[in-house]
């Protein structure tokens, strides 16, 4: 009995089963491929936070393609982050290495496309490779014997001062928009008479090397959920049903008679919880699943570039890689 | 709200009573036990001991005397040598390797020039000062003041600082004094013994049953004495009196007849005859005190008066009380025969007493003051005896301050309590305070050490006793040899202070109790089951029929505050006794008083405690709460909560979670875990890297491990916050996915997210101390520091000295590697000792020209490079102390150890790049992947609940409560998850980061508190190809520290044999170890070293034999013992 029950549950939701969309077999013609590409579509769904957050749908590709874009966004699109520090003075309680690590994780607003990767062994502060920032913070002196309370001084990222490099000639080097992503990042807290004096080199890098170079805080996708009600659900059942889904998924309509009926308002918002299948009645009413080859991407940029640019960069990286592999296959064919 | 309103609310429900625990711990926390005990020693015990040893007289001059009048302890100070003292702070002592101590000052008068002289504040030595005690400079300081003196406000105190190391005097568990124990001894004899303590005696008296008769066994008699002889010697007639106390009921008399028969055979009818009988059996060599000889019978009388059952006082030569006590012991033996239930349990906690730092120090002090007085006496004797006195005898000049100081310091430095005078010899009493984490330090303050031998394989004292309820933490005990012997006190355990027993005695006169002499002479004697024996502190007070009445009387008086709150009354119906205790060192625990099935305390009182209007002690004062010691606990009916209240209930638990100790209190949902898991966690929680103290940057410990980003857990128990662990936590909240991944997580291994590590997850710094001192030798030649030298050949600085500053010490901030010199010290050697090794000192121009010095640098010996973090230089007397603190950043790596808070430890098996990590629909990538196979067999349901609580808590921005027996409900958490659109089971759909496809299982994922443990691969990793060998056996050295080899032991050898790889075996055991070639004489079979045999001197063939050097060594050792191991040599070719 339990067996059949389990089967039932599984068939009712079965989010795991996935079918291949297009059979990309070697014998496929170019035409097939072109037709396939035509079926792919991207729908931008939501852009917020001045383009720094975006939700878009990628429809008509396999999971591996969506995943490739996600992975590229996460660790392959370059961004700028502090890499080296010239530490002149650190009198705070925070140890030098802790401070260094903390500074390294502060995101900076600088367009990585305008810089080159700093080759190993090159000059640390060359304007092609690095943006320089100074941080000089001093806590006011206090009479530690007579004053009852110590006054703490907080150091924020707003105190970073961009140092224009004297040799900088490209216009990008004079871009005054170069600054920390946020002015409200707490760097350190100083006691009276303590001070910090340091210079950081913000350089270009990729997330594979260190996660501080990752241009996104969130890059993930999920498949579009669908929910169907096999029969109408009303009144108390409707309330219960509403509570079992993410907020906004189920709405309740009230007709003239005062009877209320549940309606799937927006299945997209659902988080695919199984709560409904624990209800002895509702589990037989609801049918749900995930739409194949429909991926909802959520990307949040750290703040240097907007998401659209990042996705473009990621796609370019993928395209370059495909080209590289295509070429290497081609060469092998040429010289068997 | 008036009283009427309150009573209307029925059933009344008292909530949040845990605030009382919080208030209790503020004033009576476990570390306060140490401090109170020390204060009591300073205020009460020390003057008492001085009073008892106040007078020193001389045999040489009867008129001479010295008398101490009063004693006090000054403020903690340091003698900087050269006679200069200054006030000190604990932090200074820690850093400068000093002992935190204060002068003991006495006022004295003594005879000089045939007149009495007075001197005040004469220092007789130094007393170690307990931190946060009344003597300590930190006592009564506000948090801010503490911070200014570089102390951590959260530090518990209660320990000492001896030579810069923090020492805790562990609580010692001991058997109660003066209590009868009835048991079968090792010879299977039925015995009843009592160890009596009086101010000058400690004796053991045993009543034993042998072939049907009862005997007294006492150390001063050669053989066992029939009990009735003792009675006769006491002048007690057995028929009239002794039997009255033993009991005249038929069943008792029956058992006793054989003894009576035996006694009648001895033909003793008079007291004198009995004394003579005993005198003949007196052990030789026993002479009474005073020095002069007495008749032996007088000796026996003296023994009976004094050391025999010495705790029972004899008034005016009346032996009644002693006889009554002896009779009670006999009666116990008789009753045990009838009912084995009457046997005593030695492991019962009611008969245990705790000895704390104060008690132990008072032992030391008593010993030390006695030695001081003897020393003074001998000096006075010598001085006053001298015919021609050159000067007046000034005793103050002869006080050996160093002896007193050394007495204390020896105890704290070694931890050994070794006092011959009191026949005490214990090791490991004072131990180094373990500062691995704040938990370990606080946990150590509540540690309880038992007197049992650790190596003994006994289960009795190790297993948990029902009587330990509420007193000892059921979880916190080490595994292995100390299991069950080393215990930890529960959160709310308090110790009694001694109070005068007159309070009880006076009260008891109000009830109809009869004294011993009244009982035996009147017909009011033992009718079975009617009369109860009344004990006050182990001695018989009298007999009563109203046992309950007398107990109730004392309890009522205690409840209204007429007598001390710690006085206990316990009725035992089994033993027919009423026991009243007023002695110190008993373990007690507070409970709500319940009267007629109702709680007198009301919610408003609890709220008042919460609002700090009323304290715990006020609630005790008004009788809402009272202390129950273990014996009284056994005589009470205690409800766990209000639903259990019945008319018979006497008390109610204040907060059930307080049955756990401080360390077990950190576990969330411990009552959902399998018990041993909590025990494992108690051991592991102490090894977690976190914050040690708020002054950790000022400290220079031998090893100090500090977490970069310690976090408060998302699920906490109430005791976690109460004990301030939330302010110095050890661990971080990680997103944990419970799934199997890549199979690098089998057998408890964990998978870590590379990005998380790069973001600083579980990063830690290890600080280490290296120290050296620069001093002068006895000839006054000073050791010196020199800057780096230039190699005259190359013109370059010697590489190992490159990082030295001009002062000869390494510069702060340098990265140091193995072999680098940290402090470039040179030791002067006399000119005659000059060897080739010595070097012309480079700084010869600077200080002393032409002196030859030997280099003795402080080198960095660790394998792993470090940074120089801090250098401290301190001057003490003529010695300079240099401490170098190095730091090393530790990013988690494969092989590092981590643990949850549920005894689930594991090492990191793989570090996975973030893009490969699975992610949820929200895009959450886990920091840690934990294998779920560790859950079913270990049954740590608390772990699953913690994850649920953390997940719900993270969604709500709230810390969930995981206290034992009163936690937040699971349903509540599930509701929160559901409301936020999550699956209420805590499981989620996850997508594989490698393939991009949905994982075919729901994954249990959420935030979870993970601890990093101090065991890290980098400290343990070790391999060797070739390396050093031992000189004696030429075998490879052992252990990582000596770059040792990896032993192929017996079992590994067995595998080789089984596998049949003889050549490999030969290679491992000989070639790779200690192969050597020896010459063996073919004829005599002994070693030789030349072509001609050196032993048999016959010219002939000598063979070369290869053997392990250890074998050759063995043979030579045998030869040196005149055993000739002869080898028969055959040549394969022959």
């Amino acid at each position: 009995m339990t067996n059949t029950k389990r089967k039932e549950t599984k068939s009712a939701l079965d989010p795991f089963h996935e079918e291949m969309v297009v059979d990309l077999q070697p014998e496929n013609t170019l035409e097939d491929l072109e037709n396939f590409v035509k079926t792919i579509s991207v729908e931008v769904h939501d852009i917020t936070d001045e383009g720094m957050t975006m939700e878009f749908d990628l429809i008509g590709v396999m999971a591996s393609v969506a995943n490739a874009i996600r992975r590229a966004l996460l660790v392959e699109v370059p961004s700028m982050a502090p890499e080296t520090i010239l530490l002149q003075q650190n009198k705070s309680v925070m140890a030098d290495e802790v401070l260094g690590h903390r500074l390294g994780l502060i995101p900076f607003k600088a367009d990585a496309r305008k810089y080159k990767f700093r080759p190993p062994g090159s000059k640390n502060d060359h304007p092609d490779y690095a943006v320089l920032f100074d941080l000089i913070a001093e806590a006011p002196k206090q009479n530690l014997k007579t004053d009852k309370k110590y006054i703490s001084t907080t150091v924020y990222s707003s105190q970073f001062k961009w140092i224009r490099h004297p040799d900088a000639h490209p216009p990008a080097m004079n871009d005054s928009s170069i600054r920390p992503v946020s002015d409200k990042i707490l760097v350190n807290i100083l006691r009276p008479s303590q001070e910090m004096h340091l210079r950081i080199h913000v350089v270009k890098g990729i997330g594979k090397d260190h996660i501080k170079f990752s241009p996104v805080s969130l890059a993930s996708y999920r498949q579009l959920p669908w929910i169907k009600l096999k029969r109408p659900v009303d009144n108390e059942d409707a309330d219960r049903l509403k509570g079992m889904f993410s907020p906004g998924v189920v709405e309740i309509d009230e007709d003239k008679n005062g009877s209320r009926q549940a309606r799937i308002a927006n299945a997209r918002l659902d988080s695919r919880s199984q709560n409904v299948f624990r209800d002895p009645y509702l589990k037989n009413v609801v049918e749900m699943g995930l739409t194949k080859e429909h991926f909802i991407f959520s990307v949040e940029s750290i703040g240097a570039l907007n998401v659209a640019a990042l996705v473009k960069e990621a796609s370019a990286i993928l395209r370059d890689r495909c080209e590289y592999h295509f070429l290497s296959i081609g060469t092998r064919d040429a010289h068997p | 709200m008036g009283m009427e309103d309150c009573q209307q609310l029925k059933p009344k429900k008292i909530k949040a009573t845990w605030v009382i625990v919080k208030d209790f711990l503020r004033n009576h926390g476990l570390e306060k036990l140490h401090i109170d005990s020390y204060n009591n020693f300073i205020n009460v015990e020390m003057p008492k001991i001085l009073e008892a040893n106040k007078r020193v007289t001389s045999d040489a001059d009867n008129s001479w005397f010295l008398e101490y009048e009063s004693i006090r302890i000054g403020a903690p100070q340091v003698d900087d040598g050269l006679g200069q003292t200054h006030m000190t702070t604990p932090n200074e002592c820690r850093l400068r390797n000093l002992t935190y101590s204060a002068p003991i000052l006495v006022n004295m008068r003594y005879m000089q020039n045939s007149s009495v002289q007075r001197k005040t504040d004469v220092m007789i030595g130094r007393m170690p000062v307990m931190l946060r005690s009344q003597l300590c400079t930190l006592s009564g300081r506000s948090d801010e003041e503490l911070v200014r003196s570089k102390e951590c406000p959260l530090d518990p105190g209660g320990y000492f600082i001896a030579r810069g190391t923090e020492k805790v005097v562990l609580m010692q568990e001991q058997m109660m004094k003066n209590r009868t124990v009835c048991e079968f001894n090792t010879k299977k004899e039925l015995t009843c013994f009592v160890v009596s303590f009086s101010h000058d005696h400690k004796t053991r008296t045993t009543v034993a049953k042998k072939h049907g008769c009862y005997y007294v066994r006492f150390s001063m008699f050669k053989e066992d004495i029939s009990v009735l002889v003792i009675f006769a010697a006491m002048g007690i007639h057995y028929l009239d009196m002794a039997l009255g106390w033993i009991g005249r009921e038929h069943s008792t008399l029956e058992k006793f007849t054989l003894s009576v028969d035996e006694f009648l055979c001895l033909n003793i009818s008079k007291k004198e005859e009995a004394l003579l009988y005993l005198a003949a059996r007196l052990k030789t060599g026993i002479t009474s005190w005073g020095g002069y000889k007495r008749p032996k019978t007088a000796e026996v009388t003296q023994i009976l008066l004094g050391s025999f059952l010495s705790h029972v006082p004899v008034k005016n030569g009346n032996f009644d009380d002693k006889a009554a006590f002896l009779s009670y012991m006999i009666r116990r033996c008789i009753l045990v025969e009838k009912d084995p239930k009457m046997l005593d349990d030695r492991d019962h906690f009611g008969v245990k007493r705790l000895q704390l730092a104060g008690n132990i120090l008072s032992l030391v002090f008593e010993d030390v003051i006695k030695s001081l007085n003897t020393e003074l006496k001998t000096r006075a004797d010598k001085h006053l005896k001298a015919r021609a006195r050159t000067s007046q005898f000034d005793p103050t000049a002869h006080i050996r301050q160093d002896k007193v100081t050394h007495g204390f310091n020896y105890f704290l430095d070694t931890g050994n309590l070794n006092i011959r005078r009191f026949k005490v010899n214990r090791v490991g009493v004072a131990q180094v305070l373990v500062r691995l984490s704040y938990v370990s330090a606080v946990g150590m303050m509540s540690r309880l050490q038992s007197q049992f031998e650790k190596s003994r394989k006994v289960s009795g004292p190790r297993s948990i006793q029902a009587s330990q309820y509420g007193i000892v933490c059921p979880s916190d005990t080490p595994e292995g040899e100390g299991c069950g012997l080393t215990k930890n006190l529960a959160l709310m355990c308090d110790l009694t202070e001694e109070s005068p027993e007159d309070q009880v005695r006076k009260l008891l006169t109000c009830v109809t109790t009869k004294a011993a002499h009244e009982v035996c002479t009147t017909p009011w004697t033992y009718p079975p089951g009617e009369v109860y024996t009344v004990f006050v502190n182990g001695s018989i007070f009298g007999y009563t029929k109203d046992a309950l009445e007398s107990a109730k009387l004392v309890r009522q008086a205690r409840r209204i505050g007429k007598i001390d709150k710690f006085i206990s009354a316990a009725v035992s119906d089994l033993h027919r006794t009423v026991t009243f205790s007023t002695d110190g060192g008993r373990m007690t625990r507070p409970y709500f008083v319940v009267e007629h099935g109702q709680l007198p305390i009301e919610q408003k009182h609890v709220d008042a405690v919460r609002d700090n209007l009323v304290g715990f002690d006020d609630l005790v004062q008004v009788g809402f709460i009272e202390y129950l010691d273990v014996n009284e606990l056994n005589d009470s009916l205690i409800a766990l909560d209000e639903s259990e209240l019945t008319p018979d209930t006497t008390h109610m638990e204040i907060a059930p979670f307080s049955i756990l100790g401080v360390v077990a209190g950190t576990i969330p949902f411990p009552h959902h875990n399998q018990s041993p898991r909590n025990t494992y966690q108690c051991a592991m929680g102490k090894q977690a890297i976190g914050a040690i103290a708020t002054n950790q940057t000022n400290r220079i410990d031998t090893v100090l491990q500090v977490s970069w980003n310690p976090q408060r857990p998302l699920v906490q128990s109430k005791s976690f916050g109460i004990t301030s662990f939330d302010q110095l936590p050890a661990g971080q909240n990680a997103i944990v996915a419970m799934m199997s991944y890549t199979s690098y997580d089998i057998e408890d291994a964990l998978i870590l997210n590379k990005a998380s590590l790069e973001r600083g997850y579980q990063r830690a710094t290890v600080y280490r101390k290296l120290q050296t001192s620069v001093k002068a030798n006895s000839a006054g030649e000073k050791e010196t520091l020199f800057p780096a030298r230039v190699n005259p050949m190359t013109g370059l600085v010697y590489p190992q000295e490159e990082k030295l500053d001009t002062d000869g010490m390494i510069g702060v901030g340098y990265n140091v590697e193995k072999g680098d010199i940290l402090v470039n010290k040179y030791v002067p050697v006399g000119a005659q000792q000059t060897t080739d090794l010595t070097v012309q000192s480079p700084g010869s121009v600077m200080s002393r020209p032409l002196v030859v010095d030997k280099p003795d640098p402080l080198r960095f010996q660790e394998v792993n490079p470090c940074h120089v973090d801090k250098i401290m230089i301190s001057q003490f007397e003529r010695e300079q102390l240099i401490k170098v603190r190095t730091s090393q950043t530790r990013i988690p790596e494969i092989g590092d150890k981590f643990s949850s808070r549920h005894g689930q430890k594991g090492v990191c098996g793989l570090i996975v790049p973030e893009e490969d990590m699975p992610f949820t629909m929200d895009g959450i990538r886990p920091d840690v992947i934990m294998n779920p196979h560790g859950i079913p067999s270990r049954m740590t349901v608390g772990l699953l609940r913690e994850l649920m609580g953390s997940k719900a808590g993270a969604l709500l921005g709230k810390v969930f409560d995981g206290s034992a027996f009163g936690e937040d409900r699971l349903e509540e958490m599930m509701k929160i998850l559901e409301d936020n659109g999550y699956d209420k089971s805590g499981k989620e759909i996850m997508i594989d980061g490698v393939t991009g496809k949905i994982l075919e299982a729901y994954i249990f994922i959420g935030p979870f508190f993970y601890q990093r443990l101090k065991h890290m691969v980098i400290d343990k990793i070790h391999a060797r190809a070739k390396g050093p060998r031992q000189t004696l056996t030429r075998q490879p050295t052992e252990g990582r520290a000596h770059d040792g080899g990896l032993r192929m032991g017996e079992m590994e050898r067995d595998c080789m044999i089984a596998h049949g790889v003889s050549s490999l075996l030969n290679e491992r055991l000989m070639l790779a170890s200690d192969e050597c070639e020896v010459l063996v004489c073919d004829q005599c079979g002994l070693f030789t070293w030349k072509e001609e045999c050196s032993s048999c001197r016959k010219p002939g063939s000598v063979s070369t034999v290869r053997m392990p050097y250890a074998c050759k060594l063995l043979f030579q050792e045998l030869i040196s013992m005149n055993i000739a191991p002869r080898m028969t040599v055959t040549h394969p070719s022959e």
Side-chain angles (χ1 to χ4, degrees), chain B residues 974-993:
Chain B
M974 291 167 80
K975 183 81 184 30
I976 290 162
L977 291 185
E978 193 175 11
D979 290 350
N980 284 278
Y982 285 92
D983 194 290
K984 63 180 173 188
S985 67
K987 294 183 212 162
E988 289 182 43
I989 289 178
M990 290 189 88
I991 302 163
D992 185 3

Side-chain angles (χ1 to χ4, degrees), chain B residues 667-802:
Chain B
I667 308 172
F669 308 105
H671 54 309
H672 291 283
N673 284 340
Q674 186 203 7
S675 152
R677 290 289 141 195
N678 289 340
T679 303
Y680 298 153
Q681 171 54 31
C682 285
M684 250 177 321
K686 293 168 193 158
Q687 301 175 5
I689 298 174
I692 276 83
T694 51
N695 64 348
Q696 61 191 17
T697 46
N698 298 324
R699 300 172 58 99
I700 304 184
D701 297 62
T702 325
V703 181
L704 178 66
Q705 290 166 324
V706 175
S707 173
W708 282 20
N709 308 300
Q711 292 176 345
R712 291 161 63 201
L714 278 166
V715 171
Q716 294 174 12
S717 60
K718 284 176 189 112
S719 55
F720 195 83
I722 290 173
T723 43
S724 330
F725 289 144
D726 57 341
Q727 294 179 62
L728 290 169
Q732 275 177 273
N733 294 298
I735 300 287
V736 175
M738 225 170 268
M739 60 182 283
S740 187
Y741 192 70
T742 69
S743 80
Y744 278 95
D745 60 351
I746 53 168
E747 291 290 330
D748 286 330
L750 306 170
I751 289 174
L752 294 178
N753 185 336
K754 176 167 168 274
S756 308
L757 304 184
E758 285 164 0
R759 290 186 190 106
Y761 178 67
Q762 299 284 23
R763 245 177 227 212
T765 301
V766 177
Y767 295 102
R768 262 176 224 279
K769 176 184 80 178
L770 291 116
Q771 66 175 24
T772 186
S773 59
V774 181
K775 43 188 180 280
N777 64 13
S778 51
E781 294 170 313
K782 281 181 190 160
E783 295 172 344
T784 33
L785 304 183
F786 290 111
R789 287 168 308 147
V790 176
N791 187 342
M793 311 288 280
T794 58
L796 296 170
V797 172
Y798 286 106
Q800 288 176 338
E801 298 181 5
E802 251 175 359

Side-chain angles (χ1 to χ4, degrees), chain B residues 151-367:
Chain B
E151 268 312 303
C152 173
L154 299 171
D155 188 69
Y159 55 89
F160 301 94
I161 299 173
R163 288 172 198 261
T165 47
E166 297 163 323
K167 290 281 173 81
V168 188
V169 178
L170 297 186
M171 289 182 253
Q172 305 287 312
E173 178 190 317
Q174 285 191 317
M175 287 296 279
M176 180 193 165
K177 300 166 181 173
N178 309 337
R179 191 185 175 280
T180 55
V181 177
C182 197
E183 60 175 18
F184 286 96
N185 66 10
T186 43
K187 290 183 205 153
K188 299 273 189 275
E189 281 173 341
L190 176 63
T191 57
C192 179
F193 70 86
V194 62
V195 182
S196 328
F197 283 75
S198 63
H199 59 284
D200 50 356
H201 289 105
K202 179 189 167 189
T203 55
R204 183 188 170 106
T205 313
T206 314
V207 169
K209 191 185 180 190
K210 273 200 309 197
H211 21 84
C213 304
Y214 295 95
Y215 296 93
V216 166
R217 197 170 287 159
F218 192 66
S219 61
M220 292 182 190
F221 296 120
K222 274 188 276 190
E223 56 189 68
D224 295 350
I225 313 285
S226 175
V227 281
L228 288 168
V229 178
I230 301 281
F231 282 123
M234 286 175 170
I236 308 271
H237 192 268
Y238 72 93
L239 270 181
D240 292 348
M241 300 173 77
L243 280 183
W245 293 314
I246 295 168
R248 287 189 203 275
E249 66 266 36
H250 179 71
S251 57
T252 312
L253 285 177
E254 200 178 52
K255 298 271 181 196
F256 203 58
T257 41
L258 268 178
S259 292
V260 177
D261 287 349
E262 198 205 17
F263 175 63
L264 291 176
C265 294
L266 290 175
N267 255 332
I268 294 169
S269 53
K270 280 188 232 147
K271 184 177 173 180
E272 287 68 32
E273 288 167 351
L275 287 174
L276 275 173
Y277 177 89
L278 289 178
R281 278 148 189 89
L282 211 56
K283 255 190 196 163
T284 45
I286 304 264
T287 49
S288 65
W289 38 100
Y292 52 91
K293 280 232 161 167
R294 263 191 298 210
K296 274 199 164 178
T297 47
E299 201 78 44
V300 172
T301 318
Q302 201 52 247
I303 287 171
L304 291 181
L305 279 170
S307 47
F308 182 75
L309 291 177
S310 60
H311 70 286
V312 184
V314 178
K315 286 178 206 116
N316 310 325
N318 183 346
F319 276 109
D320 280 1
D321 288 335
K322 265 194 187 177
F325 198 90
L326 183 62
S327 309
Y328 173 76
M329 290 167 72
I330 299 165
R331 183 175 166 79
R332 286 295 308 276
C333 287
I334 293 171
L335 289 179
V336 162
E337 276 185 275
K338 282 197 280 189
D339 182 6
K341 260 195 292 185
M342 298 282 285
L343 270 176
D344 279 308
D345 187 355
R346 271 169 157 251
D347 305 322
H348 191 271
F349 246 49
V351 301
K352 296 287 165 81
R353 296 291 180 265
L354 290 194
Q355 217 178 20
L356 266 75
N359 310 95
I360 290 163
L361 281 188
S362 72
L363 277 182
V364 177
F365 180 66
E366 193 171 350
D367 177 55

Side-chain angles (χ1 to χ4, degrees), chain A residues 13 16 63 67 70-71 75 101 144 147-149 208 211 220-221 223 244 271-272 274-275 278 290, chain B residues 144 148 754 758 763 915-916 919 921 923 978 981-985 991 993-994 996 998-999 1002:
Chain A
L13 104 155
F16 305 127
N67 193 33
R70 182 192 71 93
R71 289 167 64 96
V75 294
H101 177 248
L144 300 183
D147 289 359
K148 276 247 158 125
K149 279 228 157 152
K208 251 194 184 142
I211 203 68
S220 96
Y221 61 82
Q223 273 157 291
M244 282 165 177
S271 72
R272 294 292 297 111
Q274 277 199 294
N275 292 335
R278 295 197 183 86
L290 295 171
Chain B
E144 268 155 37
R148 266 162 222 258
K754 176 167 168 274
E758 285 164 0
R763 245 177 227 212
E915 67 269 26
D916 289 348
F919 56 97
M921 301 280 256
E978 193 175 11
Y982 285 92
D983 194 290
K984 63 180 173 188
S985 67
I991 302 163
V994 179
I998 289 177
L999 292 170
Y1002 289 96

Side-chain angles (χ1 to χ4, degrees), chain B residues 441-491:
Chain B
V442 175
M444 196 144 182
M445 304 308 301
S446 68
R447 193 146 310 156
L448 202 66
Q449 217 178 32
S450 138
Q451 297 297 305
F452 286 94
E453 241 182 88
K454 279 191 171 170
S455 54
R456 283 226 326 249
K457 278 184 182 154
V458 281
S459 67
R462 291 175 187 271
S463 43
I464 192 160
Q465 254 268 337
S467 58
Q468 291 172 356
Y469 176 85
I471 304 294
V472 169
C473 177
S475 289
D476 196 359
T477 180
E479 296 168 68
E481 60 165 22
C483 188
L485 300 179
T486 305
K487 296 182 265 285
N488 279 271
L489 285 188
L491 214 53

